[in-house]
Amino acid sequence: MDDLRRLLDSVVATAQHVTSARAGSVALVEGGELVFRSATGPQGHALIGVRLPIGSGIAGYAVSSGQAIALDDVREDPRFARDLAESLGYVPRGIVAVPLDTDDEVVGVLELLDPAGEVELDVLSLLARQAALSITLARAFGALTGDTEAAELAKRLSRLGDRERLLVRAFLDYVG
């Protein structure tokens, strides 16, 4: 799973770069819960492995609704998981959450904390979709062929993540 982690880390780094967010994370749907598998920023390391019920927090809302959400101020939003943020020692003001979805399912969520400026949800949704397809492919391939080959596929997909990051940057340079 180290290669899948690198893929997820690449997705978070790209999204964080695109939005100039202070922190970011990816949580995957596992057994009816969201499990944070990649995180950056203040106390990001403490978020890895944290489990939330689907539907809990802004990230859970994005997964359960299948819709991207961008909030400039979460302080008064009842969906905000303030208790989790406080326990980690970082309470953001703004949050963007984008479901990682394929045509068939939502496999997780990309979440960004305190992004700077206008957030292009369309660009983030494209990145999230690519990540979801890569995750789904790696899981399906691993189920069919065993962990060794799944790790090799995840390694190949992580390289695609690097290329995807370059494409997103080139696109932003073009439109910016």
Side-chain angles (χ1 to χ4, degrees):
M1 282 299 189
D2 287 339
D3 291 319
L4 181 58
R5 172 77 185 268
R6 279 197 294 269
L7 172 67
L8 299 177
D9 289 349
S10 176
V11 169
V12 172
T14 300
Q16 193 172 356
H17 173 77
V18 166
T19 62
S20 299
R22 186 155 181 227
S25 64
V26 168
L28 299 179
V29 175
E30 297 177 14
E33 295 180 301
L34 282 177
V35 182
F36 287 88
R37 295 294 179 196
S38 176
T40 62
Q43 303 300 319
H45 64 281
L47 188 58
I48 303 296
V50 169
R51 296 177 174 275
L52 289 177
I54 291 178
S56 178
I58 304 298
Y61 173 80
V63 168
S64 63
S65 70
Q67 297 178 1
I69 183 170
L71 299 170
D72 292 328
D73 189 350
V74 298
R75 290 180 291 184
E76 300 301 322
D77 194 300
R79 298 168 292 191
F80 177 52
R82 178 174 297 284
D83 54 338
L84 175 60
E86 288 174 350
S87 74
L88 294 171
Y90 179 63
V91 179
R93 182 176 180 96
I95 294 179
V96 173
V98 182
L100 303 176
D101 66 331
T102 66
D103 288 335
D104 300 320
E105 65 181 329
V106 176
V107 299
V109 63
L110 168 65
E111 190 170 50
L112 299 160
L113 307 181
D114 292 324
E118 187 69 26
V119 174
E120 297 290 334
L121 287 179
D122 291 342
V123 173
L124 290 176
S125 292
L126 286 172
L127 178 63
R129 184 155 184 90
Q130 289 295 323
L133 293 170
S134 298
I135 292 162
T136 301
L137 183 60
R139 285 177 171 172
F141 193 78
L144 291 174
T145 62
D147 291 339
T148 303
E149 292 176 30
E152 180 59 31
L153 178 62
K155 181 185 278 185
R156 290 180 186 161
L157 292 174
S158 72
R159 290 185 200 123
L160 291 177
D162 291 340
R163 290 183 199 133
E164 185 73 21
R165 179 174 43 232
L166 292 174
L167 288 172
V168 169
R169 286 183 184 163
F171 175 74
L172 291 174
D173 288 343
Y174 175 76
V175 298

